[in-house]
Amino acid sequence: MWKVLLLRAGERMWSSSQASTTRGVVEMGRVEAGPSHFPKRPAARNPVRINLSRTQAVKPCSSGDRWGISVKCNLGWFSQPSPDLRHHFRVHSSASEAVLTSQSDLRKLFVGNEKIGVLLLNLGGPETLDDVQPFLFNLFADPDIIRLPRLFRFLQKPLAKFISVVRAPKSKEGYASIGGGSPLRQITDAQAEALREALCEKDVPAKVYVGMRYWHPFTEEAIEQIKRDGITKLVVLPLYPQFSISTSGSSLRLLESIFREDEYLVNMQHTVIPSWYQREGYIKAMATLIENELTKFSEPQKVMIFFSAHGVPLAYVEEAGDPYKAEMEECIDLIMEELEKRGITNPCTLAYQSRVGPVEWLKPYTDETIIELGQKGVKSLLAVPISFVSEHIETLEEIDVEYKELALESGIKNWGRVPALGCEPTFISDLADAVIESLPYVGAMAVSNLEARQSLVPLGSVEELLAAYDSKRDELPPPVIVWQWGWTKSAETWNGRAAMLAVLVLLVLEVTTGEGFLHQWGILPLHH
């Protein structure tokens, strides 16, 4: 059989042997001035790293005035190429490299008469105040959000119900302050339409779908529409620039479970773009937004650029191999390099926001860093929501209200915030290019793999990441070992364990007596 080889451009190994190829790292909690913000990233502590291949494995490359596609042997699959495909490959000195010689040829080869679909994956958000509590339930019912020991996993939904009811009043206040609901769906729908138009302009007719993880339109709803439309080639595009097992990973795991249960989906050719933070169009769009906001300060050169990213539990990164932290640091390094090309050499720093619960999350924390910057005499701060491409509660309320107030109280006089990308033209056009460049991957999985019921995500590195995380979830260390009195993480954790035990006791009482709040809410059937 003729062996089709996976493509190399944009592909990086996360092993320590290749750590030197990465672009840089943020030194957490330390404010650097001048153009050299990020020292070279040291070799990874864990020598076993996941190779997370990206869509840029098919990357436009310039060779004179000829547009081409670089191809290199890495991981392979077996299939018989069409005569047209063979015709358009030119063998180079290395048998593992080839070049597709024109953009139009690429589209003819991989589009043809196929019905192409693009599935945008996002978190979702409540659109009205009445949606807040059920949205929170869906969020906390996800085992990627709240990890329970195997013995207590039957408590996942009852615990999610309890937490959602308790947190709903405060969350409603936050959503009320930004207009009574999240604008996430409206913005994502607009992004989907803009992406469809951009693809059409690039001669790739495609339908674009939106699948949310925790609210309408759910991923399951989007998949049903994809089936009704008869899509034959699907590109899955999470709207998270950086990959994390708690965001993109959770959505892909759900998608994989849906695929496995449906014969149509099993046979549908598809691929996944796991992350795209390093794409040139995205980097330039972010740099432009930052540059525009800096001009609004009276002394732009004295402004600290403050990247605030959504946090993840530290154990996900250190124990489960989540590449989120490394990708985030490299993303910021790339943005700062682009700004430096434009003559902007402002100092910058990175912190993480939106932590929940007693476990340790990625540090430094945004609120603590803002206070520290104020104490160090920083007077002007420009907040950049680096992990978000749409406005929602974390930007409109947490950053614009809570963190702004904290900054002013900490001695920071001038505050600004970079808007989320939304439908910024350069960004949308680059996403369209990402979809086009991913088309050679569509259908790359061998039939033998499908028959073996292996992962339905063609990019094997994603499969490896999810498998590594799944296999280590139960092995993640507990957040604390011994009891500590006071307002400490340990005390909060043990209080949480006591609360879980109390919930378990209440559940046993409800089951035995047939009365209680779970029966009243309809979670458990009423006894007559």
Side-chain angles (χ1 to χ4, degrees):
M1 280 189 175
W2 194 81
K3 190 173 184 180
V4 180
L5 303 170
L6 286 183
L7 313 168
R8 72 168 177 187
E11 194 171 290
R12 275 185 319 281
M13 291 294 293
W14 289 102
S15 64
S16 57
S17 64
Q18 293 183 326
S20 61
T21 64
T22 54
R23 305 189 63 100
V25 65
V26 177
E27 187 170 352
M28 297 304 189
R30 180 177 174 187
V31 179
E32 298 284 350
S36 300
H37 311 286
F38 305 105
K40 291 296 182 182
R41 184 176 303 152
R45 298 181 200 169
N46 183 358
V48 180
R49 278 300 199 178
I50 302 303
N51 174 20
L52 192 61
S53 303
R54 296 172 179 81
T55 292
Q56 282 174 297
V58 187
K59 182 178 180 181
C61 59
S62 176
S63 176
D65 55 3
R66 180 181 59 197
W67 191 96
I69 299 293
S70 295
V71 185
K72 183 181 179 181
C73 174
N74 186 6
L75 299 173
W77 65 87
F78 292 95
S79 65
Q80 185 68 28
S82 67
D84 289 338
L85 183 61
R86 291 178 178 177
H87 175 73
H88 288 284
F89 274 95
R90 179 166 57 88
V91 178
H92 286 239
S93 57
S94 170
S96 64
E97 295 188 356
V99 170
L100 269 169
T101 57
S102 76
Q103 187 174 11
S104 60
D105 288 343
L106 172 73
R107 290 167 182 166
K108 290 178 182 177
L109 288 171
F110 296 108
V111 176
N113 296 322
E114 302 283 356
K115 290 186 176 180
I116 298 177
V118 181
L119 175 59
L120 302 181
L121 299 178
N122 211 334
L123 184 79
E127 298 175 70
T128 68
L129 295 182
D130 291 337
D131 298 335
V132 172
Q133 189 272 318
F135 165 77
L136 292 176
F137 171 79
N138 293 334
L139 179 69
F140 294 117
D142 183 0
D144 283 312
I145 302 300
I146 295 183
R147 283 189 300 113
L148 293 180
R150 187 182 301 273
L151 183 63
F152 295 102
R153 285 181 185 172
F154 71 97
L155 287 176
Q156 187 84 46
K157 290 187 176 181
L159 184 61
K161 186 72 174 183
F162 175 77
I163 296 175
S164 65
V165 170
V166 171
R167 290 179 62 106
K170 181 174 177 57
S171 295
K172 285 183 178 180
E173 293 178 6
Y175 283 107
S177 69
I178 63 171
S182 173
L184 186 61
R185 177 175 182 175
Q186 181 180 2
I187 296 173
T188 307
D189 286 343
Q191 290 172 327
E193 176 59 20
L195 178 58
R196 185 196 65 78
E197 293 177 356
L199 286 169
C200 186
E201 292 174 358
K202 297 174 185 288
D203 300 324
V204 178
K207 291 189 175 182
V208 183
Y209 307 85
V210 173
M212 300 293 190
R213 184 66 178 89
Y214 304 117
W215 201 243
H216 300 285
F218 291 112
T219 303
E220 294 88 340
E221 299 174 39
I223 290 296
E224 287 302 316
Q225 186 60 51
I226 287 171
K227 291 168 59 178
R228 285 194 293 269
D229 290 343
I231 297 299
T232 57
K233 289 184 179 291
L234 180 67
V235 176
V236 180
L237 177 59
L239 286 178
Y240 307 104
Q242 305 82 17
F243 184 92
S244 173
I245 54 181
S246 60
T247 53
S248 304
S250 177
S251 294
L252 293 180
R253 192 171 295 106
L254 171 63
L255 193 62
E256 188 174 35
S257 67
I258 296 173
F259 275 26
R260 288 186 180 279
E261 298 174 358
D262 192 292
E263 183 178 355
Y264 177 89
L265 299 173
V266 166
N267 295 318
M268 181 178 63
Q269 296 181 344
H270 71 286
T271 195
V272 178
I273 303 176
S275 67
W276 36 269
Y277 67 92
Q278 78 284 52
R279 293 190 59 84
E280 183 178 5
Y282 167 73
I283 295 299
K284 288 187 174 182
M286 288 298 300
T288 298
L289 290 179
I290 294 172
E291 184 178 15
N292 292 341
E293 292 302 316
L294 284 174
T295 61
K296 299 179 181 179
F297 289 83
S298 58
E299 297 180 289
Q301 70 279 5
K302 294 184 179 181
V303 177
M304 169 71 70
I305 300 175
F306 183 76
F307 293 96
S308 185
H310 200 290
V312 300
L314 182 63
Y316 283 14
V317 174
E318 293 190 345
E319 304 296 330
D322 195 331
Y324 179 74
K325 178 175 179 289
E327 292 194 357
M328 183 61 68
E329 291 169 357
E330 185 179 2
C331 176
I332 293 173
D333 184 39
L334 292 170
I335 293 173
M336 294 307 299
E337 284 185 7
E338 175 62 28
L339 288 173
E340 288 168 13
K341 292 177 183 178
R342 306 181 186 191
I344 299 172
T345 58
N346 294 56
C348 71
T349 191
L350 165 67
Y352 295 90
Q353 67 181 86
S354 307
R355 65 186 187 274
V356 179
V359 300
E360 187 174 1
W361 287 54
L362 285 179
K363 290 184 177 180
Y365 299 142
T366 294
D367 50 358
E368 295 177 357
T369 303
I370 289 175
I371 296 174
E372 181 182 347
L373 292 176
Q375 293 172 345
K376 289 184 176 181
V378 173
K379 297 302 180 184
S380 299
L381 202 64
L382 177 61
V384 183
I386 187 61
S387 53
F388 311 105
V389 297
S390 304
E391 303 290 357
H392 58 303
I393 189 73
E394 278 88 352
T395 61
L396 299 175
E397 200 274 334
E398 191 170 6
I399 294 180
D400 288 353
V401 179
E402 295 180 18
Y403 292 149
K404 180 180 180 180
E405 292 178 357
L406 180 62
L408 298 178
E409 293 171 359
S410 302
I412 295 171
K413 302 297 183 181
N414 306 303
W415 170 272
R417 203 262 287 180
V418 171
L421 283 166
C423 293
E424 200 279 334
T426 303
F427 165 59
I428 294 297
S429 179
D430 192 58
L431 282 186
D433 289 338
V435 171
I436 294 171
E437 293 164 16
S438 73
L439 292 178
Y441 267 127
V442 178
M445 175 167 284
V447 175
S448 59
N449 287 346
L450 291 175
E451 293 172 350
R453 311 305 292 173
Q454 295 180 9
S455 173
L456 294 176
V457 179
L459 297 180
S461 56
V462 176
E463 175 190 3
E464 291 167 6
L465 180 61
L466 299 181
Y469 170 54
D470 285 339
S471 65
K472 294 181 179 180
R473 287 180 72 180
D474 296 332
E475 300 174 13
L476 292 177
V480 294
I481 299 177
V482 296
W483 174 270
Q484 297 174 1
W485 289 99
W487 294 101
T488 65
K489 182 183 69 173
S490 174
E492 291 181 5
T493 301
W494 282 100
N495 290 338
R497 291 173 178 173
M500 286 184 60
L501 181 60
V503 171
L504 179 61
V505 171
L506 289 175
L507 183 62
V508 172
L509 289 175
E510 289 221 15
V511 172
T512 55
T513 63
E515 298 179 353
F517 68 91
L518 293 180
H519 288 81
Q520 295 175 356
W521 288 339
I523 297 177
L524 294 177
L526 293 172
H527 295 289
H528 299 286

